[in-house]
Amino acid sequence: MFKLFLLLVLIPQLLYALPKEHLDTNDEMQEIIYDISILKDETAKKTLAEIIKMDNKFSPIKQSFSGGYTRAANWFRIVVQRPANASTQWVLSATPAYLNDLRFYSIDKNNHYNMQQAGDLFPSALRPIDKQYGSFSFALTLEDTFPHVYYLRLETRSTSTLNLSIQTPHLAGQQNALNKLAIGLILGSLLLISISTFFMWSTVRHLSFIAFLAYVFISCVGILIVEGTGQQYLLPNQTTFTTYIPQFVMCSILFFINLFFVLFFDTHRNYPYLHVFFRALLIIIPLALLSAPMGFYTDVAPIIITTILLTSLPIQLYVSWKSKNLFIHGSHSIFYGMFIYLICIIITLLTALGSISMSAISIFNIQVSMLVFLIFIGLQQRFRSFQLLKREADIRIEIAEKLTEIERQRSNDKSTFLNLVAHEIKTPLAVIDSATQILEIQPNIDSISHKRHRRIRTSVSHLNHLLDNTFLSERFDESPLQPHIEPFKLNPVIEKILNTRFANKQFNTDIDDNLKCLADPMLFKLALSNLVDNAIKFSPRDSTPELKAQKFNKNNTKGILLSVRNSFTSDIEPDASQWFTKYYQQNNDLHKGLGLGLFMVHKIIMAHKGDIRCKVTPIEHQWQILIQLWLPETRELKQS
């Protein structure tokens, strides 16, 4: 894939480098343009007649001219003289193709000057010659070998750069076709890079890929504008719109390349001080773009764009080079891309100053294509690092899933084992309880034996209760509780709990005989047994716990409110927020447990869509504990 991209990017540059018969390489053509001079019209209002009268004020220049950003008009006096036995038909071409107003004056047989107009302010559809020979082409007919004087007026809202060349129509047509082939190959390679980048973004979803896609798209627009294809084929009649495209391209390229650096190198985290600089650039650049439709681009753009280029390029080179120490993959490729970009900027400046002569089209295309290609390589490397990280994460997830499955299997084995043990324990406990009940109803049983039997039954009940809490907790860890809701009277259930397990303990109750509850009877008994067990366990011997049940509406929903109140002696305030935590035990040396009672109460109440709350109130040297649980009585809960 890399070889294909490299081939598609380098072929257009090789096409530009092929030997061509133009005034740089052909001695016959070198002598055609005899002299080029310039005169600057500061007011941009002088006519051709006035300019001709000022012939002595023209200054000679080279064929490459740069006047910077200016509102003035530049007049070029071009003296052309063809050699003997040379062709009489010639084509004069001017580049780049984002000049706003270009007017070419040629003299006819009657010594009258005719004007040929070109530029963004003039519809490209009215200039079929541009499609044949390239943008801003002017036909010349040199019937004799005497010098001929032509005038060219340049006025533009963008930078005033101009490159002139002259060729025969045949060679100009070949050159134009070759340029379009090169542009097509460049755009094709950029399209392939964009498609590949889009698929990479669809995998990793990193915003730097989107910023790069935007940069590539704007670069493609810039290539079409610089070469002139955009005006000739896409917007042949939209003069107003095409006027602002060069400014839009220039500002957008600067904006997205800086945005790419912010996102790719994560400057907010890795370079916090430089991140402030990049943020300032991202605010300043749109100001230059907004100045174009307001008519201030010529005054604002030179200062802003020059400042941005001089400050941002060194910082971008520093960030891309320094990031290799942060193990940011792709930093080297982007560094080399920015280095080539800097070289192209320098060449552009030298060309603009007239120090060297080179086509603005080839400079821009090399600058764009090589930078895009090297940044794409950097994104490829970053993408591979993301893939490696994702692969490592997937492996970790797979290992975690396997460990979870092993742990689940262990839990199932443990649960199965505990169920078998519970069955083996509960069977003899049932036998013991039955035998103890039979002994209690024997005639003439003494009080000591009766107490011993009662203690045995209490211990059996306590052990059964402990097994129920333990195994229900294990079952709840595997799957949520599914209560089987049915209505039942509260008073008989509560009396059975108190008389079975807590017959030796005094308990104050306040429950209506006809009060009914809507819940799972087995789960309700387990929850209430835990509450009563805690109230008795942690109460002083001389105190009497209280149990109260009443109807209570909560949030416009009918229900039953059960309140368990008891006293507790402790030097430290009890932490009620921890009571429903699994395996939590209050610091009390006299009463030890598994820490499952209140945990299971909370889970049972939540399974019934109810509510449970605790309140601790200091009373003299003790703490009064109030636990309230509320169970709803709704038709929806009953149907579930």
Side-chain angles (χ1 to χ4, degrees), residues 44-99:
K45 295 181 179 179
K46 287 184 170 58
T47 63
L48 177 62
E50 294 174 327
I51 293 298
I52 294 176
K53 294 178 181 179
M54 302 170 65
D55 266 0
N56 59 338
K57 294 186 179 180
F58 276 85
S59 303
I61 62 167
K62 297 181 179 180
Q63 288 169 317
S64 294
F65 164 78
S66 176
Y69 290 85
T70 178
R71 296 181 182 275
N74 292 288
W75 287 82
F76 299 89
R77 185 180 62 192
I78 306 170
V79 181
V80 179
Q81 182 179 10
R82 74 171 178 84
N85 301 323
S87 174
T88 60
Q89 300 299 321
W90 298 88
V91 175
L92 178 69
S93 299
T95 59
Y98 49 79
L99 305 175

Side-chain angles (χ1 to χ4, degrees), residues 62 64-66 349-357:
K62 297 181 179 180
S64 294
F65 164 78
S66 176
L349 292 175
L350 293 176
T351 302
L353 294 174
S355 301
I356 59 176
S357 178

Side-chain angles (χ1 to χ4, degrees), residues 3 52 61 123 134 157 204 222 325 327 366 428 439 452 460 497 555 575 591 595 603:
K3 294 180 180 179
I52 294 176
I61 62 167
R157 299 178 184 178
V204 300
N325 298 327
F327 302 102
I366 293 174
L439 290 175
R452 186 179 298 113
V460 169
I497 293 173
N555 298 330
D575 187 3
H591 307 289
K603 294 301 179 184

Side-chain angles (χ1 to χ4, degrees), residues 342-368:
L342 177 61
I343 292 176
C344 291
I345 292 293
I346 294 174
I347 293 175
T348 302
L349 292 175
L350 293 176
T351 302
L353 294 174
S355 301
I356 59 176
S357 178
M358 185 175 288
S359 171
I361 297 177
S362 61
I363 295 176
F364 185 81
N365 291 341
I366 293 174
Q367 170 185 326
V368 168

Side-chain angles (χ1 to χ4, degrees), residues 292-305:
M294 300 176 64
F296 298 108
Y297 186 81
T298 305
D299 301 320
V300 174
I303 300 174
I304 293 180
I305 293 177

